[in-house]
Amino acid sequence: MTYQADERRYERQPYNRSGRSGLKLPAVSLGLWHNFGDNRPIENSRAILRRAFDLGVTHFDLANNYGVPYGSAERNFGRILREDFAAYRDELVISTKAGYDMWPGPYGEWGSRKYVLSSLDQSLKRMGLEYVDIFYSHRPDPETPLEETMGALDRAVRSGKALYAGVSNYSPEQTAQAARIMRELGTPLLIHQPSYSMINRWIEDGLLDTLEEAGMGCIVFSPLAQGLLTDRYLQGVPEDSRAATSRFLSSDRIDRELARDLDEIARTRGQTLAQMALSWAMRDPRVTSVLIGASSVKQLEDNVACVDGPAFTEDELAAIDKVTELRSAGGR
């Protein structure tokens, strides 16, 4: 059946300006890191993307190596884009990144001009796009001059293959330097994508201030701490959970007591733990958007409902701080 987007899609989601730019992003964006590769049914991915757009989620975030195998998330997204969303391309913000390992040899990762621009060309081909809306340097390269990596981002924008440029996983100092270089080149950085959650608060130690000063937005990934801040692990580690099946999360990181204490606070707010964790991550006006993953339409709907949650009281924030301060992950 031909997809027709819900006519009320823009009534269900707040949209926030990214720093001092003209671009607005939905408060909740959809990340395609997991659940969109060849190891997942494409019809499930299609259903999630359709429902997300119907709920006002206009931003879909990818990277060159997302999916199993690498590149499959972009390829599958490109297929769904052609078959379902071609008429809505100008209503979508599509982002991708280059920085982590993608292909063998010395030119297949990090931040050289050769890798960054070659990766962008490959991403566009996989997705069948002429341009992406945001192109990121996925991580800083300790052995490549930052001027070279930022010069590649500037070239990507000037060539018309990206509308905006961003960085991810950069420290406050690296971000300030990158922003200065890009400003001098005439292509200001739009946004930073760092990890952030109730148990991973590193961006509060300088990065948010740096972004505000530079006029950049902030879109945070892992606001649910890879599922730790959900009801998924309240009773144990399910066999099909990420902690049991993924190399990105080990079962020894599960703190059920922490989750249960936070879940009690969430219930008093009329939210699930996941909804509260997402609301918490976006409580600071400098956070433009939070990135969620979804393995099902129901999970997507439950998480997007965080935008309907109540504002935090000072007592609630203090209670969350008390629960997390002694058991914080304490880093990126």
Side-chain angles (χ1 to χ4, degrees):
M1 181 181 296
T2 302
Y3 170 64
Q4 294 288 332
D6 191 317
E7 294 182 355
R8 299 179 58 194
R9 58 190 176 276
Y10 292 115
E11 301 174 12
R12 300 170 174 174
Q13 183 85 209
Y15 297 88
N16 303 315
R17 191 172 300 279
S18 183
R20 291 195 292 267
S21 79
L23 184 67
K24 291 184 177 182
L25 296 179
V28 178
S29 300
L30 182 63
L32 278 65
W33 181 16
H34 301 287
N35 306 311
F36 291 85
D38 289 348
N39 60 331
R40 300 300 176 98
I42 193 165
E43 290 310 313
N44 187 60
S45 301
R46 187 191 307 275
I48 292 170
L49 289 167
R50 284 182 172 188
R51 185 59 177 148
F53 190 51
D54 284 345
L55 292 172
V57 177
T58 54
H59 177 30
F60 299 136
D61 179 74
L62 299 106
N64 54 359
N65 64 352
Y66 283 2
V68 179
Y70 286 175
S72 59
E74 288 185 330
R75 187 175 61 253
N76 291 332
F77 175 75
R79 173 183 165 183
I80 297 169
L81 182 67
R82 289 190 302 274
E83 295 174 354
D84 289 49
F85 293 97
Y88 304 103
R89 173 62 183 98
D90 291 338
E91 298 183 45
L92 301 177
V93 175
I94 300 169
S95 61
T96 195
K97 315 176 194 73
Y100 285 94
D101 60 302
M102 183 59 193
W103 63 84
Y107 318 120
E109 64 176 324
W110 292 108
S112 71
R113 184 181 182 90
K114 179 172 178 61
Y115 166 65
V116 170
L117 294 179
S118 295
S119 178
L120 176 57
D121 284 340
Q122 291 182 19
S123 290
L124 292 175
K125 184 177 180 179
R126 279 190 292 270
M127 291 188 282
L129 292 173
E130 295 181 355
Y131 70 93
V132 291
D133 297 274
I134 306 171
F135 183 49
Y136 289 90
S137 168
H138 206 166
R139 62 172 170 173
D141 183 345
E143 297 183 354
T144 296
L146 192 56
E147 288 81 0
E148 179 175 342
T149 305
M150 294 302 105
L153 293 183
D154 174 67
R155 176 59 183 167
V157 173
R158 291 183 183 278
S159 68
K161 295 178 181 180
L163 300 186
Y164 300 95
V167 295
S168 180
N169 298 304
Y170 278 52
S171 70
E173 296 75 20
Q174 292 164 330
T175 301
Q177 185 181 0
R180 177 186 58 77
I181 293 169
M182 291 295 281
R183 192 163 51 246
E184 292 173 353
L185 290 171
T187 304
L189 282 176
L190 172 80
I191 199 164
H192 189 298
Q193 187 177 133
S195 61
Y196 183 53
S197 72
M198 288 191 288
I199 56 174
N200 176 17
R201 303 189 181 189
W202 74 277
I203 71 172
E204 296 174 3
D205 189 19
L207 181 62
L208 285 173
D209 291 338
T210 297
L211 297 179
E212 185 174 28
E213 183 176 347
M216 295 170 62
C218 179
I219 180 170
V220 300
F221 72 88
S222 293
L224 302 181
Q226 297 288 302
L228 299 179
L229 297 175
T230 71
D231 60 8
R232 186 73 162 140
Y233 303 105
L234 292 179
Q235 306 303 325
V237 181
E239 292 183 0
D240 62 344
S241 66
R242 187 173 298 176
T245 61
S246 172
R247 65 186 175 92
F248 296 104
L249 178 64
S250 59
S251 58
D252 60 5
R253 287 186 57 199
I254 304 300
D255 187 336
R256 289 197 295 275
E257 184 180 354
L258 169 69
R260 288 169 181 164
D261 289 346
L262 291 172
D263 186 61
E264 288 183 8
I265 301 173
R267 289 177 183 276
T268 66
R269 290 173 46 81
Q271 291 184 300
T272 66
L273 174 53
Q275 288 167 350
M276 183 180 78
L278 294 170
S279 296
W280 183 93
M282 64 176 69
R283 77 199 186 287
D284 191 311
R286 294 172 294 183
V287 174
T288 311
S289 183
V290 295
L291 272 170
I292 63 169
S295 59
S296 68
V297 169
K298 184 180 185 306
Q299 185 182 61
L300 170 81
E301 292 173 339
D302 290 346
N303 288 345
V304 171
C306 71
V307 300
D308 299 320
F312 285 95
T313 67
E314 291 300 322
D315 287 345
E316 287 171 339
L317 292 174
I320 290 170
D321 288 345
K322 184 176 181 180
V323 170
T324 59
E325 65 183 2
L326 297 179
R327 293 189 295 243
S328 173
R332 286 175 279 176

PDB file of all heavy atoms in Angstrom, residues 190-217:
ATOM      1  N   LEU A 190      27.135  23.415  12.684  1.00  0.00           N
ATOM      2  CA  LEU A 190      25.733  23.485  13.076  1.00  0.00           C
ATOM      3  C   LEU A 190      25.473  22.875  14.439  1.00  0.00           C
ATOM      4  O   LEU A 190      24.715  23.415  15.245  1.00  0.00           O
ATOM      5  CB  LEU A 190      24.872  22.745  12.039  1.00  0.00           C
ATOM      6  CG  LEU A 190      23.393  22.577  12.409  1.00  0.00           C
ATOM      7  CD1 LEU A 190      22.640  23.849  12.121  1.00  0.00           C
ATOM      8  CD2 LEU A 190      22.761  21.404  11.680  1.00  0.00           C
ATOM      9  N   ILE A 191      26.133  21.731  14.721  1.00  0.00           N
ATOM     10  CA  ILE A 191      25.664  20.908  15.823  1.00  0.00           C
ATOM     11  C   ILE A 191      26.755  19.962  16.300  1.00  0.00           C
ATOM     12  O   ILE A 191      27.689  19.640  15.557  1.00  0.00           O
ATOM     13  CB  ILE A 191      24.418  20.099  15.371  1.00  0.00           C
ATOM     14  CG1 ILE A 191      23.595  19.594  16.567  1.00  0.00           C
ATOM     15  CG2 ILE A 191      24.798  18.985  14.404  1.00  0.00           C
ATOM     16  CD1 ILE A 191      22.186  19.154  16.172  1.00  0.00           C
ATOM     17  N   HIS A 192      26.625  19.535  17.539  1.00  0.00           N
ATOM     18  CA  HIS A 192      27.494  18.514  18.133  1.00  0.00           C
ATOM     19  C   HIS A 192      26.603  17.364  18.577  1.00  0.00           C
ATOM     20  O   HIS A 192      25.504  17.580  19.098  1.00  0.00           O
ATOM     21  CB  HIS A 192      28.233  19.106  19.332  1.00  0.00           C
ATOM     22  CG  HIS A 192      29.309  18.234  19.914  1.00  0.00           C
ATOM     23  ND1 HIS A 192      29.061  16.994  20.461  1.00  0.00           N
ATOM     24  CD2 HIS A 192      30.648  18.428  20.038  1.00  0.00           C
ATOM     25  CE1 HIS A 192      30.202  16.461  20.896  1.00  0.00           C
ATOM     26  NE2 HIS A 192      31.175  17.321  20.646  1.00  0.00           N
ATOM     27  N   GLN A 193      27.083  16.133  18.370  1.00  0.00           N
ATOM     28  CA  GLN A 193      26.336  14.955  18.812  1.00  0.00           C
ATOM     29  C   GLN A 193      27.168  14.188  19.845  1.00  0.00           C
ATOM     30  O   GLN A 193      28.025  13.393  19.504  1.00  0.00           O
ATOM     31  CB  GLN A 193      25.999  14.045  17.625  1.00  0.00           C
ATOM     32  CG  GLN A 193      25.079  12.899  18.012  1.00  0.00           C
ATOM     33  CD  GLN A 193      24.678  12.034  16.826  1.00  0.00           C
ATOM     34  OE1 GLN A 193      24.741  10.814  16.909  1.00  0.00           O
ATOM     35  NE2 GLN A 193      24.254  12.645  15.724  1.00  0.00           N
ATOM     36  N   PRO A 194      26.908  14.416  21.128  1.00  0.00           N
ATOM     37  CA  PRO A 194      27.611  13.705  22.196  1.00  0.00           C
ATOM     38  C   PRO A 194      26.702  12.689  22.878  1.00  0.00           C
ATOM     39  O   PRO A 194      25.470  12.741  22.751  1.00  0.00           O
ATOM     40  CB  PRO A 194      27.946  14.836  23.180  1.00  0.00           C
ATOM     41  CG  PRO A 194      26.717  15.713  23.099  1.00  0.00           C
ATOM     42  CD  PRO A 194      26.185  15.584  21.675  1.00  0.00           C
ATOM     43  N   SER A 195      27.295  11.785  23.625  1.00  0.00           N
ATOM     44  CA  SER A 195      26.502  10.913  24.495  1.00  0.00           C
ATOM     45  C   SER A 195      26.088  11.704  25.728  1.00  0.00           C
ATOM     46  O   SER A 195      26.809  12.592  26.188  1.00  0.00           O
ATOM     47  CB  SER A 195      27.314   9.683  24.913  1.00  0.00           C
ATOM     48  OG  SER A 195      28.479  10.069  25.634  1.00  0.00           O
ATOM     49  N   TYR A 196      24.907  11.383  26.273  1.00  0.00           N
ATOM     50  CA  TYR A 196      24.424  12.100  27.457  1.00  0.00           C
ATOM     51  C   TYR A 196      23.248  11.360  28.047  1.00  0.00           C
ATOM     52  O   TYR A 196      22.353  10.906  27.321  1.00  0.00           O
ATOM     53  CB  TYR A 196      23.986  13.510  27.066  1.00  0.00           C
ATOM     54  CG  TYR A 196      23.540  14.393  28.211  1.00  0.00           C
ATOM     55  CD1 TYR A 196      24.348  14.586  29.325  1.00  0.00           C
ATOM     56  CD2 TYR A 196      22.320  15.060  28.153  1.00  0.00           C
ATOM     57  CE1 TYR A 196      23.943  15.416  30.365  1.00  0.00           C
ATOM     58  CE2 TYR A 196      21.911  15.904  29.178  1.00  0.00           C
ATOM     59  CZ  TYR A 196      22.728  16.073  30.288  1.00  0.00           C
ATOM     60  OH  TYR A 196      22.328  16.905  31.313  1.00  0.00           O
ATOM     61  N   SER A 197      23.259  11.208  29.346  1.00  0.00           N
ATOM     62  CA  SER A 197      22.126  10.593  30.043  1.00  0.00           C
ATOM     63  C   SER A 197      22.228  10.937  31.525  1.00  0.00           C
ATOM     64  O   SER A 197      23.202  11.555  31.970  1.00  0.00           O
ATOM     65  CB  SER A 197      22.128   9.068  29.865  1.00  0.00           C
ATOM     66  OG  SER A 197      23.173   8.474  30.627  1.00  0.00           O
ATOM     67  N   MET A 198      21.249  10.493  32.288  1.00  0.00           N
ATOM     68  CA  MET A 198      21.257  10.740  33.729  1.00  0.00           C
ATOM     69  C   MET A 198      22.474  10.139  34.412  1.00  0.00           C
ATOM     70  O   MET A 198      22.877  10.591  35.476  1.00  0.00           O
ATOM     71  CB  MET A 198      19.978  10.180  34.365  1.00  0.00           C
ATOM     72  CG  MET A 198      18.741  10.978  34.044  1.00  0.00           C
ATOM     73  SD  MET A 198      17.295  10.500  35.039  1.00  0.00           S
ATOM     74  CE  MET A 198      16.905   8.921  34.313  1.00  0.00           C
ATOM     75  N   ILE A 199      23.060   9.091  33.812  1.00  0.00           N
ATOM     76  CA  ILE A 199      24.228   8.456  34.419  1.00  0.00           C
ATOM     77  C   ILE A 199      25.487   8.695  33.603  1.00  0.00           C
ATOM     78  O   ILE A 199      26.508   8.030  33.805  1.00  0.00           O
ATOM     79  CB  ILE A 199      24.006   6.932  34.621  1.00  0.00           C
ATOM     80  CG1 ILE A 199      23.655   6.236  33.307  1.00  0.00           C
ATOM     81  CG2 ILE A 199      22.902   6.706  35.654  1.00  0.00           C
ATOM     82  CD1 ILE A 199      23.569   4.716  33.440  1.00  0.00           C
ATOM     83  N   ASN A 200      25.453   9.652  32.703  1.00  0.00           N
ATOM     84  CA  ASN A 200      26.609   9.996  31.871  1.00  0.00           C
ATOM     85  C   ASN A 200      26.522  11.480  31.545  1.00  0.00           C
ATOM     86  O   ASN A 200      25.972  11.879  30.527  1.00  0.00           O
ATOM     87  CB  ASN A 200      26.605   9.151  30.590  1.00  0.00           C
ATOM     88  CG  ASN A 200      27.735   9.542  29.645  1.00  0.00           C
ATOM     89  OD1 ASN A 200      28.698  10.192  30.028  1.00  0.00           O
ATOM     90  ND2 ASN A 200      27.599   9.148  28.397  1.00  0.00           N
ATOM     91  N   ARG A 201      27.051  12.311  32.450  1.00  0.00           N
ATOM     92  CA  ARG A 201      26.781  13.746  32.402  1.00  0.00           C
ATOM     93  C   ARG A 201      27.978  14.579  31.966  1.00  0.00           C
ATOM     94  O   ARG A 201      28.057  15.769  32.272  1.00  0.00           O
ATOM     95  CB  ARG A 201      26.296  14.217  33.769  1.00  0.00           C
ATOM     96  CG  ARG A 201      25.069  13.477  34.263  1.00  0.00           C
ATOM     97  CD  ARG A 201      24.506  14.134  35.508  1.00  0.00           C
ATOM     98  NE  ARG A 201      23.338  13.427  36.018  1.00  0.00           N
ATOM     99  CZ  ARG A 201      22.553  13.886  36.986  1.00  0.00           C
ATOM    100  NH1 ARG A 201      22.822  15.045  37.559  1.00  0.00           N
ATOM    101  NH2 ARG A 201      21.509  13.181  37.404  1.00  0.00           N
ATOM    102  N   TRP A 202      28.891  13.984  31.218  1.00  0.00           N
ATOM    103  CA  TRP A 202      30.150  14.668  30.918  1.00  0.00           C
ATOM    104  C   TRP A 202      29.958  15.980  30.175  1.00  0.00           C
ATOM    105  O   TRP A 202      30.770  16.907  30.312  1.00  0.00           O
ATOM    106  CB  TRP A 202      31.085  13.749  30.143  1.00  0.00           C
ATOM    107  CG  TRP A 202      30.705  13.535  28.697  1.00  0.00           C
ATOM    108  CD1 TRP A 202      29.800  12.648  28.215  1.00  0.00           C
ATOM    109  CD2 TRP A 202      31.232  14.222  27.566  1.00  0.00           C
ATOM    110  NE1 TRP A 202      29.723  12.737  26.846  1.00  0.00           N
ATOM    111  CE2 TRP A 202      30.594  13.697  26.417  1.00  0.00           C
ATOM    112  CE3 TRP A 202      32.185  15.229  27.398  1.00  0.00           C
ATOM    113  CZ2 TRP A 202      30.871  14.139  25.126  1.00  0.00           C
ATOM    114  CZ3 TRP A 202      32.465  15.675  26.108  1.00  0.00           C
ATOM    115  CH2 TRP A 202      31.815  15.127  24.988  1.00  0.00           C
ATOM    116  N   ILE A 203      28.877  16.125  29.400  1.00  0.00           N
ATOM    117  CA  ILE A 203      28.722  17.350  28.612  1.00  0.00           C
ATOM    118  C   ILE A 203      28.403  18.561  29.483  1.00  0.00           C
ATOM    119  O   ILE A 203      28.537  19.707  29.034  1.00  0.00           O
ATOM    120  CB  ILE A 203      27.658  17.187  27.512  1.00  0.00           C
ATOM    121  CG1 ILE A 203      26.242  17.107  28.093  1.00  0.00           C
ATOM    122  CG2 ILE A 203      27.950  15.979  26.644  1.00  0.00           C
ATOM    123  CD1 ILE A 203      25.147  17.146  27.024  1.00  0.00           C
ATOM    124  N   GLU A 204      27.996  18.307  30.738  1.00  0.00           N
ATOM    125  CA  GLU A 204      27.714  19.414  31.646  1.00  0.00           C
ATOM    126  C   GLU A 204      28.994  20.086  32.136  1.00  0.00           C
ATOM    127  O   GLU A 204      28.950  21.195  32.670  1.00  0.00           O
ATOM    128  CB  GLU A 204      26.890  18.911  32.827  1.00  0.00           C
ATOM    129  CG  GLU A 204      25.510  18.385  32.439  1.00  0.00           C
ATOM    130  CD  GLU A 204      24.762  17.759  33.607  1.00  0.00           C
ATOM    131  OE1 GLU A 204      25.303  17.796  34.739  1.00  0.00           O
ATOM    132  OE2 GLU A 204      23.658  17.229  33.393  1.00  0.00           O
ATOM    133  N   ASP A 205      30.131  19.415  31.944  1.00  0.00           N
ATOM    134  CA  ASP A 205      31.419  19.936  32.407  1.00  0.00           C
ATOM    135  C   ASP A 205      32.120  20.678  31.273  1.00  0.00           C
ATOM    136  O   ASP A 205      33.221  20.317  30.858  1.00  0.00           O
ATOM    137  CB  ASP A 205      32.293  18.795  32.918  1.00  0.00           C
ATOM    138  CG  ASP A 205      33.558  19.296  33.614  1.00  0.00           C
ATOM    139  OD1 ASP A 205      33.585  20.481  34.023  1.00  0.00           O
ATOM    140  OD2 ASP A 205      34.521  18.513  33.729  1.00  0.00           O
ATOM    141  N   GLY A 206      31.461  21.686  30.732  1.00  0.00           N
ATOM    142  CA  GLY A 206      32.105  22.566  29.763  1.00  0.00           C
ATOM    143  C   GLY A 206      31.565  22.498  28.349  1.00  0.00           C
ATOM    144  O   GLY A 206      31.563  23.516  27.638  1.00  0.00           O
ATOM    145  N   LEU A 207      31.113  21.323  27.889  1.00  0.00           N
ATOM    146  CA  LEU A 207      30.715  21.222  26.481  1.00  0.00           C
ATOM    147  C   LEU A 207      29.473  22.051  26.175  1.00  0.00           C
ATOM    148  O   LEU A 207      29.428  22.765  25.165  1.00  0.00           O
ATOM    149  CB  LEU A 207      30.489  19.764  26.075  1.00  0.00           C
ATOM    150  CG  LEU A 207      30.092  19.571  24.606  1.00  0.00           C
ATOM    151  CD1 LEU A 207      31.199  20.078  23.676  1.00  0.00           C
ATOM    152  CD2 LEU A 207      29.773  18.113  24.307  1.00  0.00           C
ATOM    153  N   LEU A 208      28.447  21.981  27.013  1.00  0.00           N
ATOM    154  CA  LEU A 208      27.232  22.756  26.743  1.00  0.00           C
ATOM    155  C   LEU A 208      27.528  24.251  26.712  1.00  0.00           C
ATOM    156  O   LEU A 208      26.978  24.983  25.874  1.00  0.00           O
ATOM    157  CB  LEU A 208      26.162  22.443  27.792  1.00  0.00           C
ATOM    158  CG  LEU A 208      25.464  21.092  27.650  1.00  0.00           C
ATOM    159  CD1 LEU A 208      24.557  20.829  28.850  1.00  0.00           C
ATOM    160  CD2 LEU A 208      24.651  21.025  26.354  1.00  0.00           C
ATOM    161  N   ASP A 209      28.401  24.709  27.593  1.00  0.00           N
ATOM    162  CA  ASP A 209      28.791  26.121  27.578  1.00  0.00           C
ATOM    163  C   ASP A 209      29.528  26.463  26.288  1.00  0.00           C
ATOM    164  O   ASP A 209      29.304  27.533  25.695  1.00  0.00           O
ATOM    165  CB  ASP A 209      29.683  26.444  28.778  1.00  0.00           C
ATOM    166  CG  ASP A 209      28.943  26.389  30.100  1.00  0.00           C
ATOM    167  OD1 ASP A 209      27.703  26.524  30.100  1.00  0.00           O
ATOM    168  OD2 ASP A 209      29.606  26.192  31.141  1.00  0.00           O
ATOM    169  N   THR A 210      30.401  25.569  25.848  1.00  0.00           N
ATOM    170  CA  THR A 210      31.144  25.785  24.605  1.00  0.00           C
ATOM    171  C   THR A 210      30.201  25.877  23.413  1.00  0.00           C
ATOM    172  O   THR A 210      30.349  26.739  22.541  1.00  0.00           O
ATOM    173  CB  THR A 210      32.156  24.647  24.381  1.00  0.00           C
ATOM    174  OG1 THR A 210      33.115  24.644  25.439  1.00  0.00           O
ATOM    175  CG2 THR A 210      32.879  24.803  23.055  1.00  0.00           C
ATOM    176  N   LEU A 211      29.204  24.985  23.367  1.00  0.00           N
ATOM    177  CA  LEU A 211      28.253  24.986  22.265  1.00  0.00           C
ATOM    178  C   LEU A 211      27.424  26.264  22.253  1.00  0.00           C
ATOM    179  O   LEU A 211      27.162  26.837  21.188  1.00  0.00           O
ATOM    180  CB  LEU A 211      27.341  23.766  22.363  1.00  0.00           C
ATOM    181  CG  LEU A 211      28.028  22.398  22.239  1.00  0.00           C
ATOM    182  CD1 LEU A 211      27.006  21.273  22.372  1.00  0.00           C
ATOM    183  CD2 LEU A 211      28.791  22.275  20.938  1.00  0.00           C
ATOM    184  N   GLU A 212      27.011  26.692  23.432  1.00  0.00           N
ATOM    185  CA  GLU A 212      26.226  27.928  23.510  1.00  0.00           C
ATOM    186  C   GLU A 212      27.040  29.107  23.007  1.00  0.00           C
ATOM    187  O   GLU A 212      26.539  29.951  22.248  1.00  0.00           O
ATOM    188  CB  GLU A 212      25.770  28.156  24.948  1.00  0.00           C
ATOM    189  CG  GLU A 212      24.857  29.345  25.116  1.00  0.00           C
ATOM    190  CD  GLU A 212      24.317  29.461  26.530  1.00  0.00           C
ATOM    191  OE1 GLU A 212      24.989  28.999  27.473  1.00  0.00           O
ATOM    192  OE2 GLU A 212      23.215  30.016  26.687  1.00  0.00           O
ATOM    193  N   GLU A 213      28.289  29.176  23.410  1.00  0.00           N
ATOM    194  CA  GLU A 213      29.152  30.276  22.981  1.00  0.00           C
ATOM    195  C   GLU A 213      29.384  30.253  21.470  1.00  0.00           C
ATOM    196  O   GLU A 213      29.434  31.301  20.816  1.00  0.00           O
ATOM    197  CB  GLU A 213      30.490  30.206  23.718  1.00  0.00           C
ATOM    198  CG  GLU A 213      31.435  31.349  23.393  1.00  0.00           C
ATOM    199  CD  GLU A 213      32.712  31.289  24.209  1.00  0.00           C
ATOM    200  OE1 GLU A 213      32.770  30.525  25.190  1.00  0.00           O
ATOM    201  OE2 GLU A 213      33.666  32.016  23.846  1.00  0.00           O
ATOM    202  N   ALA A 214      29.522  29.039  20.914  1.00  0.00           N
ATOM    203  CA  ALA A 214      29.793  28.901  19.485  1.00  0.00           C
ATOM    204  C   ALA A 214      28.533  28.989  18.636  1.00  0.00           C
ATOM    205  O   ALA A 214      28.620  29.010  17.399  1.00  0.00           O
ATOM    206  CB  ALA A 214      30.496  27.567  19.217  1.00  0.00           C
ATOM    207  N   GLY A 215      27.356  29.009  19.270  1.00  0.00           N
ATOM    208  CA  GLY A 215      26.111  29.072  18.525  1.00  0.00           C
ATOM    209  C   GLY A 215      25.729  27.752  17.888  1.00  0.00           C
ATOM    210  O   GLY A 215      25.014  27.723  16.882  1.00  0.00           O
ATOM    211  N   MET A 216      26.178  26.651  18.492  1.00  0.00           N
ATOM    212  CA  MET A 216      25.907  25.320  17.964  1.00  0.00           C
ATOM    213  C   MET A 216      24.783  24.642  18.742  1.00  0.00           C
ATOM    214  O   MET A 216      24.590  24.900  19.926  1.00  0.00           O
ATOM    215  CB  MET A 216      27.166  24.434  18.046  1.00  0.00           C
ATOM    216  CG  MET A 216      28.305  24.899  17.178  1.00  0.00           C
ATOM    217  SD  MET A 216      29.851  24.000  17.535  1.00  0.00           S
ATOM    218  CE  MET A 216      29.371  22.307  17.125  1.00  0.00           C
ATOM    219  N   GLY A 217      24.060  23.766  18.062  1.00  0.00           N
ATOM    220  CA  GLY A 217      23.067  22.956  18.730  1.00  0.00           C
ATOM    221  C   GLY A 217      23.700  21.709  19.329  1.00  0.00           C
ATOM    222  O   GLY A 217      24.887  21.434  19.157  1.00  0.00           O
TER     223      GLY A 217
END
